[in-house]
Every structure is written in C-alpha cells, then in structure tokens.
C-alpha cells in the first residue's frame, strides 16, 4: 500500500474529518492565524466520499488535532506525506502547531520535519515559545545537530533563550553526561546575556518598570522612549519582569501597550502573559486574561498549559490547576492522559486530599469519552484510604476488578498506609496475609510502607517484628527501608540502637546505606559523645566510596575531643597513609578557634615530618621555618572566613 492510500485508510478508520471551520477573531499577525481551504485539485475520492466528508464541509484539523497527529505518527515522513498533508487543509494557528509539536516530542525528527513543513508550505512564523519547545525536543544525543541549527535560527530572528529553558536543557545535558554540549550551551547563554545587557531596549524597559510603582510617571517615561512594539519585544519584557518577580507590573505593561500604543495582542502574547501571571499574588489577573482570550477566540497552547499546571501544582494552588484542566478539556487542545495522572497524583499527595477536586478531574476526563485507567482507580483508592474511608475504598477496588484491573502491590500498599495512619496496625499486617492468599506477593515497597507506618505510629519494636517477618520470606532489603527503620529508632532517641542496626545490616546483608543515612547517624552519635562509633561509620563511608564527612568531627574535636581523637580522625579521613595538608589545617584551625592552642601544638608534634614542615602549616604557627613560633590567633569569625 503506497503512502497516499495509507493516509486515506487512516482517515477512514478514524472517521474524524467531519469537522467545521474553526471560528477565530481576525488577527493582524500572520503568525497567529492562517486559513487554507480545500484545493479544486484534491482527488475526487476524498472530495466526494460520504464516508469522509459531508457535501460542503471543509477539512479542518484544528477541531480534532489528534487526527492529524495520528496520520503523521503512523507514516514515515516523506515528500509523499508532505504532498498529501497539503491536501488536508487546516487553519495553522500557534495553538495548533504547539499542540502537534508536544504530541510529537518523542520523535524529534518528525517534530522538526513538521515545523519545517508548516514554515515553508504554510508561511507560518514560529514564536520564541515554539523555538524554546523545539530546543527541549532536540535536547538529546541523537539530535544535537538540529539543536544547534535551531539556536542559530533563533538568534538570527532576534529570539533568545529564556532562563527557564536554559536551566531545563542544561540539566538534561548534565544528566545525559553530555558535558561538552552542556559547557557549550552555558557559554552561549552567558554570551547572550552579556550581549542583551548592552543596549537591549527590553531590559531598559523592564528596569524602568521595576524601579517605580506603576502610574502616570512610568507611562510618561515609556511614551518618551518611543517604543516600536512587536510580539517578540512584548514577550522579552514580560519574561524579564517574570524572572525578577514582578507579575503585576508585567500585567500593567501588557495592558498599557494595547491601550496606549494600539498594539493588538495575539495568541502568542496572551500565552506569554499567562506564564507570568500564574502566581498567587496575580491569580485574579490570570483568570481575567483567560476570559479575555476566550472572548476574542484565542486558546491556551498545550505547552503553556503544562508549564502553568505544573507550577500551580508545585505551589499547591490545586483548585486553580483543576479549573485550568477543565477549561482545556472543554477546548480543542486537550491534555494527555499523562497530564491527567500527574494532576490527580498532586491532589492525592495533598494533606488531606480534596475528593471534590479529584472527582472533578476524573469527571472531565470521562466526559471526553475516556475510560478510567488503572492509575486513576489507584489514585481514587489512595485518597479514600488516606482519609480512612475504607468501605468506599473497597468499592473502588471492586469497580477496578470489574473494569479488568486486578489489585496489585500499589493498591494494597495504599490500603496498608491508610490503616497504619489510623493506627489500625494489626489490620495493616493482616493485609500482607490477604495479599499472599490472592497470589499477590508483597514486594519491598509494600513492606516498607508497612514498616514505616509502624515507625510513624511510634511502634518501632513492632516495626522490627515486621522486618523480621519480611526477612523470613526472603525479600531483599534496600537502603530506603534501612533509612525508614533508622529514623524510627532516632524518633525514640535510640541512637546507639540505630548504630547497631546499621552495622548489622552492613555486615550481615552487605547493605550500602545512603550517604545521607551515614551522615545523619554520625551527627547523632557525636551529639551523644559516641566518638568511636561515629569514627567507625566514617571508615565505612570510605569503604563505600562516599566522600569524607569531616564537619561534625571538626566541631566535636575542637570543643571536647583529645589530641588522640584528632589523630584517629585524621587517619580515618583518607584512603592514603596520610590525609591532605588542608585536612590538617582544618583541625588546627578548629583548635585555635576554641582557644585550645596547647592541643594544637601537641597535635603538631604528632604529625608526620612533611606536614610539620609544610609552609601552610608553619604559617599557622607564626613561623615559616620552625614549629616553635608564636601561634597565629584564630577566632570563629576568622575561621569561617578562612
């Protein structure tokens, strides 16, 4: 089957092109809206087929954009595909292109080909937000050539990488061990910032706005600047004001350029201001802009929605996140199931979870024609169990079974967590037996939830009993569970017991505790003057290839440790025969800071010859050539500066 026939087959299977022309308010910006209508040369099998089109209907992808995505995903990109896509005319809008790029973000090559196609064939002008999205899509080892080409194109068109995009991509490069590209991006961004700072009008405007309360004087000074305003310029000012934390002043500028300069905002600038206003202090202005957008026929693009929704969730503005989700689900560019799941999890993680918000999201998802997934059932079950509404949670479990999803470790772990939270510990333990009877074998995460629940309830000894029962069933423990148990001991001030458990787990089960676990127990041991035990853990850290953790030892030795303690500490600090000169320096300085000069001298005499004669050490004792000179005075203030 050739490419064209495959596309027609996809269209018939989807039966999704009974679509009407999207109404949209006129825009003076060619980037905002382009309309393209069916060509007379379109093949008759497409134009006349009642299965595909009504008698006088236009093909409009924007009403069902997922159909267009499916066509692109199900076919290799080629000249034939481009030709056939050209026959499926659709209104090219900023929101539509952003939606498609987000849907294609797992296939950078197709995303890039699609964007090049709409630019070339549809005369579409990308925005800075679109370029930023493409950079994030290209930020992987296989697409670096396209990544740097896109950066070059951005710069040529006067667009710049904003701080958020830079940090996100730089982090991706570091995580992928792409150090060369991370360094190159850092240098490029640094040069860009430097170049922008020299005579950049957007920065000048944002600085003027930042320094004064918005009012007549600010507006007068802005008018005197005789600004030439474009989409890019407005976005630059908005981003500058966002990054320095002035959302309301950004809103004032946004309104002012329309009111005083006659600038007509479009979908790009509306989406730009929404990214600025999604803060608690500017939430009223945020929703007013949303309403204004709706009134003139613009929509929130999918990338903007995701960024704003994640931000709302991060700062716990969940009600606004839910209202925004409902708004998007009522529009053309619906969030994916993944975004629904992320929002539901955020609601479930709140304390206490808001069931009204939860069911509003689920209701919107189902109203769009979707069925509940296993994840959605689990989130509802989790919230009910967390609230102690176990009968309702059981009903959800039954509904989940009826839908073809069997309860698993996640489902049972949530029930165990809820029972432990309500201090129904015996029932929580019985869930383990019930799981096994159903053929669902508890994994390490389920046991960890059970043991942590006992620890949080103050029943550390019962938690140990659960741990022993787990070990009898040959479940391998891990560093997370060990950390849970140790924190249980520490919550009851059983520091030495925590130390003993840690040693046993390392010796008996060859555990490799987290670095943070070692640090915490060391600090607690030194707080109870158990120096030898803390030193033992420092040695074990070294065996596990963790970096040294000298700070709490410095404090302990300087205040109450002996010279012998200092010697033993220095021996334990290095894998070599002797630690570095700087390690000796720190110990001497801590002694000096506490006024313990005689101990510092005694330690000096116990040091190896090359340390005693080192210029840095001699300098501490006041003589470059001898060890008997006047001790240099140190205070806590001078030590911290050193």
């Amino acid at each position: 089957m050739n490419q064209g026939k495959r596309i027609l087959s996809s269209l018939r299977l989807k039966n999704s092109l009974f679509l009407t022309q999207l109404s949209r308010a006129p825009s003076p910006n060619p980037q905002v809206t382009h309309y393209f209508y069916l060509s007379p040369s379109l093949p008759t099998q497409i134009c006349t087929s009642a299965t595909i089109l009504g008698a006088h209907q236009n093909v409009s992808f924007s009403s069902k954009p997922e159909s267009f995505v499916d066509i692109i995903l199900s076919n290799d990109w080629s000249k034939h595909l481009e030709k056939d896509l050209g026959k499926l005319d659709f209104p090219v809008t900023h929101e539509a292109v952003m939606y498609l790029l987000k849907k294609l973000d797992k296939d950078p090559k197709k995303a890039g080909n699609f964007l090049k196609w709409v630019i070339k064939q549809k005369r579409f002008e990308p925005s800075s937000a679109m370029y930023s999205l493409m950079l994030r899509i290209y930020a992987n080892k296989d697409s670096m050539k396209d990544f740097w080409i896109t950066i070059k194109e951005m710069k040529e068109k006067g667009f710049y990488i904003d701080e958020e995009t830079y940090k996100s991509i730089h982090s991706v490069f570091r995580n992928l061990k792409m150090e060369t590209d991370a360094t190159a991006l850092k240098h490029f961004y640094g040069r860009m910032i430097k170049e922008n700072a020299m005579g950049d009008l957007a920065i000048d405007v944002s600085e003027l706005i930042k320094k004064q309360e918005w009012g007549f004087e600010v507006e007068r000074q802005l008018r005197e600047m005789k600004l030439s305003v474009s989409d890019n310029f407005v976005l630059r000012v908005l981003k500058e004001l966002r990054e320095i934390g002035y959302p309301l002043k950004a809103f004032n500028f946004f309104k002012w350029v329309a009111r005083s300069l006659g600038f007509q905002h479009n979908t790009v600038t509306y989406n730009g201001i929404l990214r600025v206003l999604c803060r608690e202090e500017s939430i009223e202005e945020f929703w007013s802009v949303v309403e204004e957008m709706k009134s003139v026929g613009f929509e929130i693009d999918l990338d903007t929605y995701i960024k704003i929704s994640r931000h709302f969730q991060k700062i716990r503005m969940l009600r606004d996140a839910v209202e925004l989700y409902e708004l998007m689900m009522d529009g053309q560019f619906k969030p994916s199931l993944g975004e629904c799941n992320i929002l539901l999890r955020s609601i479930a993680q709140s304390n206490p979870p808001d069931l009204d918000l939860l069911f509003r999201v689920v209701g919107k998802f189902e109203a769009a024609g979707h069925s509940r997934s296993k994840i959605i059932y689990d989130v509802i079950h989790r919230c009910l169990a967390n609230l102690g509404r176990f009968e309702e949670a059981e009903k959800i479990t039954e509904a989940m079974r009826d839908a073809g999803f069997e309860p698993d470790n996640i489902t049972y772990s949530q029930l165990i967590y809820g029972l432990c939270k309500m201090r129904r510990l015996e029932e929580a333990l019985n869930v383990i037996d019930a799981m096994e009877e159903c053929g669902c074998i508890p994994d390490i995460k389920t046991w960890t939830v059970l043991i942590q629940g006992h620890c949080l309830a103050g029943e550390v000894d019962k938690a140990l009993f659960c741990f022993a029962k787990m070990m009898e069933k040959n479940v391998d423990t891990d560093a997370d569970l060990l950390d849970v148990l140790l924190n249980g001991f520490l919550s009851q001030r059983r520091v030495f017991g925590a130390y003993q458990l840690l040693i046993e787990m390392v010796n008996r089960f060859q555990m490799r505790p987290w670095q943070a676990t070692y640090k915490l127990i060391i600090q607690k041991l030194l707080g109870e003057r158990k120096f030898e035990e803390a030193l033992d853990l420092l040695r074990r850290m070294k065996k596990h290839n963790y970096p040294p953790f000298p700070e709490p030892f410095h404090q302990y030795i300087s205040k109450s440790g002996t010279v012998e303690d200092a010697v033993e500490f220095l021996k334990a600090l290095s894998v070599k025969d002797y630690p570095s000169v700087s390690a000796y320096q720190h110990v001497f300085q801590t002694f000096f800071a506490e006024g313990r000069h005689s101990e510092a001298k005694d330690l000096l005499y116990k040091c190896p010859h090359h340390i005693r004669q080192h210029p840095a050490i001699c300098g501490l004792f006041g003589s470059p050539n001898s060890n008997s000179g006047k001790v240099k005075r140190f205070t806590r203030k001078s030590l911290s500066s050193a």
Side-chain angles (χ1 to χ4, degrees), residues 86-259:
K87 297 170 185 176
L88 301 174
D89 300 322
F90 58 88
V92 179
T93 66
H94 170 83
E95 304 100 311
V97 175
M98 290 291 277
Y99 179 86
L100 277 159
L101 291 177
K102 286 298 293 183
K103 292 293 184 179
L104 296 170
D105 64 0
K106 303 302 183 203
D107 192 336
K109 193 169 185 63
K110 275 190 180 176
N113 283 330
F114 168 72
L115 183 58
K116 291 170 188 173
W117 178 73
V118 293
I119 291 173
K120 182 179 179 181
Q121 299 298 327
K122 305 297 185 181
R123 303 189 304 279
F124 181 78
E125 288 294 331
S127 65
S128 61
M130 199 167 290
Y131 273 118
S132 295
L133 174 57
M134 282 307 305
L135 289 181
R136 297 200 301 275
I137 293 173
Y138 282 143
N140 63 79
K141 291 181 179 179
D142 298 327
S143 307
M144 289 315 300
K145 181 179 178 181
D146 292 312
F147 177 87
W148 291 111
I149 289 174
T150 302
I151 280 186
K152 182 181 177 183
E153 287 179 6
M154 284 184 72
K155 190 171 182 181
E156 288 174 351
K157 293 188 177 184
F159 297 134
Y160 299 94
I161 304 174
D162 60 76
E163 184 180 16
E164 180 186 8
T165 301
Y166 162 71
K167 287 182 176 179
S168 172
I169 296 174
H170 189 265
S171 176
V172 169
F173 286 165
R174 296 296 300 273
N175 291 337
L176 294 175
K177 309 298 182 187
M178 297 167 62
E179 297 297 338
T180 302
D181 291 293
T183 301
L185 180 64
K186 181 180 179 180
H187 289 160
F188 176 86
Y189 183 72
R191 289 196 305 272
M192 184 196 77
I193 293 294
K194 193 172 182 180
E195 290 170 4
N196 289 355
M198 299 172 63
D200 191 310
L201 192 56
I203 293 178
D204 293 341
V205 169
S206 62
E207 284 295 316
L208 186 156
I209 295 171
K210 180 185 74 172
K211 291 176 181 177
Q212 305 175 61
E213 288 296 321
W214 189 275
F216 174 80
E217 182 58 25
V218 172
E219 293 185 2
R220 183 188 64 78
Q221 293 180 52
L222 287 173
R223 281 193 297 271
E224 288 180 352
M225 297 177 78
K226 301 192 181 302
L227 302 173
S228 177
V229 183
S230 64
D231 294 359
N232 189 32
F233 179 78
V234 171
L235 289 176
R236 289 289 316 287
V237 174
L238 295 180
K239 286 178 181 178
E240 291 292 334
L241 292 171
R242 179 187 67 188
E243 289 173 4
I244 59 180
Y246 290 98
L248 292 176
K249 289 187 175 184
F251 178 70
N252 286 329
F253 174 77
F254 178 84
K255 302 298 286 185
W256 178 79
V257 293
R259 183 180 66 250

Side-chain angles (χ1 to χ4, degrees), residues 340-351:
C340 175
N341 291 340
I342 290 170
L343 179 54
L344 289 174
R345 285 189 179 119
S346 292
I347 296 170
Q349 289 167 3
S350 58
N351 191 21

Side-chain angles (χ1 to χ4, degrees), residues 309-498:
S309 180
R310 300 280 178 86
H311 183 72
F312 279 155
Q313 293 169 54
K314 181 180 178 181
I315 62 178
R316 311 311 296 166
M317 293 177 64
L318 295 177
R319 188 165 296 278
D320 293 286
V322 170
E323 290 179 9
L324 188 62
Y325 178 79
E326 292 172 326
L327 177 72
M328 292 297 291
M329 290 299 286
D330 287 337
Q332 301 179 84
F333 309 108
K334 294 175 173 54
S336 66
L337 171 60
E339 288 303 315
C340 175
N341 291 340
I342 290 170
L343 179 54
L344 289 174
R345 285 189 179 119
S346 292
I347 296 170
Q349 289 167 3
S350 58
N351 191 21
D354 190 323
L355 287 177
D356 175 61
L357 295 181
L358 184 82
F359 285 114
R360 280 172 59 180
V361 173
V362 173
K364 268 299 176 190
F365 180 76
E366 291 177 323
H370 305 298
S371 300
R372 293 183 185 182
S373 65
K374 171 68 165 55
I375 293 175
I376 290 178
Y377 278 112
D378 277 333
V379 171
I380 297 172
H381 180 267
R382 172 180 175 171
C383 291
L384 292 169
N386 194 3
L387 293 169
R389 295 163 65 166
F390 299 111
E391 290 184 5
E392 294 170 75
E394 178 59 28
K395 290 179 181 178
I396 288 294
T397 303
E398 291 303 318
M400 185 169 68
R401 282 195 180 98
D402 293 340
F405 304 113
E406 283 299 315
D408 55 14
N409 271 280
I410 294 173
T411 314
Y412 287 114
S413 295
Q414 292 171 169
L415 178 59
I416 289 171
Y417 175 83
L419 289 168
C420 288
K421 185 178 179 182
M422 299 298 163
R423 296 183 177 270
R424 294 163 63 170
L425 302 179
E426 199 66 35
E427 293 174 69
L429 185 56
N430 290 338
V431 172
I432 296 290
D433 298 328
M435 289 178 66
E436 293 174 336
E437 289 175 7
C438 294
C440 182
I441 306 303
D443 61 15
I444 182 62
K445 292 185 178 179
T446 301
W447 283 104
T448 300
V449 170
L450 177 67
I451 292 168
Q452 186 173 39
H454 280 74
C455 289
L456 293 174
E459 298 289 350
V460 178
D461 291 329
K462 288 184 178 179
L464 282 175
F465 169 77
C466 295
F467 178 70
K469 187 174 180 179
M470 182 195 86
M471 299 304 291
E472 288 174 4
K473 296 179 181 294
N474 296 318
V475 179
D476 292 332
T477 188
D478 63 10
D480 281 328
L481 179 52
L482 176 59
D483 197 61
V484 165
L485 278 168
L486 294 175
N487 276 291
F489 273 86
L490 296 178
S491 69
Q492 296 187 341
R493 299 184 180 180
R494 295 161 63 177
V495 177
F496 189 69

